[in-house]
Each structure stands twice: as structure tokens, then as C-alpha cells.
Amino acid sequence: MRRTPAIKQALPTRDRILEAASRCFSKHSYDATGLRDIAADAGVDVAYVHRCFGSKERLFAQALAATARPDRLLTGSSDSVAQALAKQLFAHDTDEDINPLDIIVRSLTNPDAARVLREFIVQDFIGPLATKLEQPALLRAAVIAAFLAGIGILRNVLSIKPLLETEGGQLEKLILGTITTTMHATTTSERGKAPGKRRQ
Amino acid sequence: MRRTPAIKQALPTRDRILEAASRCFSKHSYDATGLRDIAADAGVDVAYVHRCFGSKERLFAQALAATARPDRLLTGSSDSVAQALAKQLFAHDTDEDINPLDIIVRSLTNPDAARVLREFIVQDFIGPLATKLEQPALLRAAVIAAFLAGIGILRNVLSIKPLLETEGGQLEKLILGTITTTMHATTTSERGKAPGKRRQ
């Protein structure tokens, strides 16, 4: 649901442009979205968008970062991070805010947008998450990122039925269990005999 | 890499159309691909494609099924299925064949294609996989489907660095461990205290 124009006008112009960009990129592909559309949606001149953000690619990067905000989920111990990550999969079930997943899915196949997405996922999610994990930390964090992206896409984009459960049920428990295992599971061949066993 | 025309001509016409459709849908979005393009690629008349397959949506469904063939991976015990699923993530590392993931990713945001994808994932992957799992079997199978899709997208579409490892290394072990855990992890609140623990 769009904010009413009255509330939109109350935001500083730069934030209004970022919000308009997030909304446009979440509804249309990267290719189909122009700075002109975003400017119109924000109610500003396209020249001002250019001055503020430079290029579509840079505006896309900033709109993605402003919408996704993975830093909010990555504080505290690995256990509390696991819980926050599992929970956020259910956070966009209302239509009231923009789901960053929609931005990601609509832009995956454009090479410029894919480069932005790759940098964002590696620098803003995998890197910070890896600081909380045991070795191979980057690999574990990347597998968790992939898991969350996959659940998000099959649940929120494709509406795959068994995944439409609400928060707090078996799905959330299973997701939490899978994230926790990926954080702690053994990966070397000496320890490889019980791949699902959690190290304490 | 495309087959040479000489090899292509040797295939039955119907298979040649399916292969052309898979190739077109793996390179272009569902919206951007027309039956005319597929007919031209297969070297047949577009009227013949219409007669054989009816609509773009039905051709898309059949091309997806012919390319993905999840039945090949879902035979044997749950342990051997887990191994086959982990291994197939590395199967399309050469350019020589069509990665069904490309077809999925390019079509996610078209409502008609998304409906085909949803039915395919539920009926051809989640359903058959669930027959091998303990309860909640459909939920476990759906979470595994999401995990594989996520790894495929972050690895093969976005080229996220920690996931570019080759077959047989720590990544494959970690993926296998995660799939195995999702197959067996406890999900009820009585058992919920050790979410990563594998039941034997």
C-alpha cells in the first residue's frame, strides 16, 4: 500500500526519492525502471535525482541498502542472529511496506543490477554475518544467505503452499534449525561423518 | 554452447522444439520470448509449434519439465537423494547444457510463468521428495527446494564468491549437511530444544 501523498511530502526529498526508487524497483524490472519514473513518483525533477544519486545503478544500490537494512538483523550472538533471520522471513507478509526481496528478484537478470546485488549481499550480509561464525565462516554465511533468499523467493514470490505458514509454527522452527546447523555443522572430512550434528 | 545444426537436425522435431524453447527461455525472460523465436531457433514453422504445444504457457511447462527432470535425482533412500541433490548444484558448471535455473530465474516475475513454476516445483519436486521424508514431509521438502533454489541463484546467477567452490569440497559437505538436517531435524516444541540435532 502506498503512503498517502501527505505523508510522503513530509519526508526529506532525498528519502522520498529513495522510497520512490525502492517502490519502483520492487514493482518493475531494473531495465524497465528509469530515473524519470522515480522522479515522477517522488514528485521531484529528474535533474535533481541525477544530482543527488548520479546514475540509476547508484540509486539502485542506495535504494536496496535503505530497504533491506541487514545490519538490523545481525546484532548479538550467533543464536540471536539465527532467530532474527528466521523471523524476518515473515516480516513482509502485509502489503504495507516494500519487500527488498521483490527488488532483488526483479533485477537478478540485469548485469548492472546483478553486480550491485552481488556486492551488497557479500559486503552488507555475508561479511558481517561471517564475523559471528566459526570457520569456514564466509562459506557458512553465504550458504545462510542462499537459504534465506531461496525461502523468500519460493514463499513470497512463487507462493509455494507448504511455505505459506505464518510466524511461530513448524516452518519457522525448521528454518531456525537449518540456519543453526549451517552455522555450526562440521565440514572437514574427519568430522564429516555426522553432517547434521551441532557442535556446542 | 549450442549444438551444431547438423546434430540439431538429427533430433525428432518435437524434441528440437523443446530444446529450442529451453534455450530461448534460459536466455530471455518469459515476456520477451515468443513462439515465433522458438520456431525460428528450431527451424520449423510457428504454426507447427502451435499445433504441437498449443500455447506459450504449455510449451514453457513442457520445456521446463524436459530440462529440469527432478525425477532423475529423487530415486533411492533419503540419504542417497540428499547426496544427489547436493551434487546436482555443481552439474551445470560448464556452458554445454541448459541450466533449468536460468529458465526459472528469468520467468519468476511473469504471473503465467510463475503459475507454471509453482505447479512444477510442488508436483514434480516437493511431492515426490516428501514421500521419502518424515513428517512434516511436505514442509521439509519445500524447505529443501527453497534451499537448493537459493544456492543455485546466489551461486550460478549472482556468482557470489564463497559459493563458487567446485564439487567435492567444503561447500558440497555443508550443503549436504544442511539438506540432511532439514530432512531429519525435530520441529515440534517438545523436541525443539536442539534444533540442529539429527534424529537417527
Side-chain angles (χ1 to χ4, degrees):
Chain A
M1 207 169 293
R2 292 178 60 145
R3 292 181 188 228
T4 63
I7 296 174
K8 279 180 67 183
Q9 294 300 333
L11 288 171
T13 311
R14 206 176 169 283
D15 292 348
R16 227 164 68 223
I17 295 170
L18 277 179
E19 196 191 286
S22 297
R23 190 165 42 241
C24 289
F25 286 124
S26 75
K27 286 188 180 157
H28 308 285
S29 71
Y30 184 83
D31 289 320
T33 307
L35 290 188
R36 201 165 292 278
D37 306 312
I38 295 166
D41 191 283
V44 299
D45 194 87
V46 66
Y48 186 78
V49 178
H50 263 294
R51 263 206 310 285
C52 269
F53 294 95
S55 66
K56 181 163 90 168
E57 193 175 320
R58 278 157 65 190
L59 176 53
F60 177 75
Q62 295 205 33
L64 176 70
T67 310
R69 295 280 321 275
D71 54 301
R72 287 179 300 187
L73 303 164
L74 300 176
T75 55
S77 69
S78 65
D79 277 357
S80 63
V81 167
Q83 281 170 21
L85 292 176
K87 206 160 276 306
Q88 60 84 33
L89 286 164
F90 304 88
H92 298 281
D93 284 0
T94 64
D95 280 344
E96 283 174 25
D97 56 359
I98 297 161
N99 189 343
L101 191 72
D102 289 327
I103 301 179
I104 293 175
V105 166
R106 291 193 182 278
S107 307
L108 275 174
T109 54
N110 175 285
D112 295 336
R115 189 171 51 244
V116 171
L117 292 172
R118 183 185 311 124
E119 279 173 18
F120 176 75
I121 293 171
V122 170
Q123 287 171 20
D124 289 28
F125 186 88
I126 294 175
L129 176 56
T131 63
K132 300 179 180 289
L133 306 180
E134 46 198 299
Q135 291 302 324
L138 281 172
L139 195 62
R140 290 179 195 276
V143 169
I144 290 167
F147 179 60
L148 296 170
I151 295 277
I153 289 169
L154 262 62
R155 183 176 192 274
N156 300 78
V157 180
L158 287 183
S159 303
I160 296 284
K161 220 169 202 172
L163 301 178
L164 296 181
E165 249 189 34
T166 51
E167 197 175 340
Q170 286 187 316
L171 175 61
E172 191 181 327
K173 279 205 179 67
L174 203 52
I175 289 168
L176 178 59
T178 303
I179 294 173
T180 309
T181 302
T182 309
M183 285 180 164
H184 302 285
T186 55
T187 57
T188 63
S189 49
E190 301 81 59
R191 296 163 179 165
K193 283 165 194 166
K197 198 178 152 199
R198 181 179 172 187
R199 285 164 62 202
Q200 298 293 346
Chain B
M1 208 170 291
R2 291 177 60 145
R3 293 181 189 225
T4 63
I7 296 174
K8 278 179 67 181
Q9 294 299 334
L11 287 172
T13 311
R14 207 176 169 283
D15 292 349
R16 229 163 66 221
I17 295 169
L18 277 179
E19 196 191 288
S22 297
R23 190 165 42 240
C24 288
F25 286 123
S26 76
K27 286 186 180 157
H28 309 285
S29 72
Y30 184 83
D31 289 320
T33 305
L35 290 188
R36 204 166 290 279
D37 306 312
I38 294 167
D41 192 285
V44 299
D45 194 88
V46 68
Y48 186 78
V49 177
H50 263 293
R51 263 205 309 286
C52 270
F53 294 95
S55 66
K56 181 163 91 167
E57 192 174 322
R58 278 156 65 189
L59 176 53
F60 178 73
Q62 296 206 31
L64 177 68
T67 310
R69 295 280 318 278
D71 55 301
R72 289 178 300 186
L73 302 165
L74 300 176
T75 56
S77 68
S78 65
D79 277 357
S80 62
V81 167
Q83 281 172 20
L85 292 176
K87 205 160 277 303
Q88 61 82 35
L89 287 164
F90 303 89
H92 298 280
D93 284 0
T94 63
D95 280 343
E96 283 174 24
D97 56 0
I98 298 160
N99 190 344
L101 189 73
D102 289 327
I103 300 179
I104 294 174
V105 166
R106 290 192 183 280
S107 307
L108 274 174
T109 54
N110 175 285
D112 296 335
R115 189 170 53 241
V116 171
L117 291 172
R118 183 186 310 122
E119 280 173 16
F120 176 76
I121 293 171
V122 170
Q123 286 171 20
D124 289 28
F125 186 88
I126 294 175
L129 176 57
T131 64
K132 298 177 181 291
L133 306 179
E134 48 199 299
Q135 291 302 325
L138 281 171
L139 194 62
R140 289 179 195 276
V143 169
I144 290 167
F147 180 58
L148 296 171
I151 295 277
I153 290 169
L154 262 62
R155 183 174 192 273
N156 300 80
V157 180
L158 286 183
S159 303
I160 296 283
K161 223 174 200 167
L163 300 178
L164 296 181
E165 248 189 36
T166 52
E167 197 177 340
Q170 286 188 316
L171 175 61
E172 192 182 328
K173 279 204 180 69
L174 202 52
I175 289 168
L176 179 58
T178 304
I179 294 172
T180 308
T181 302
T182 309
M183 285 179 165
H184 303 284
T186 56
T187 57
T188 63
S189 50
E190 301 80 59
R191 296 162 177 164
K193 283 164 191 168
K197 199 180 155 199
R198 181 180 171 186
R199 285 163 62 204
Q200 297 295 345

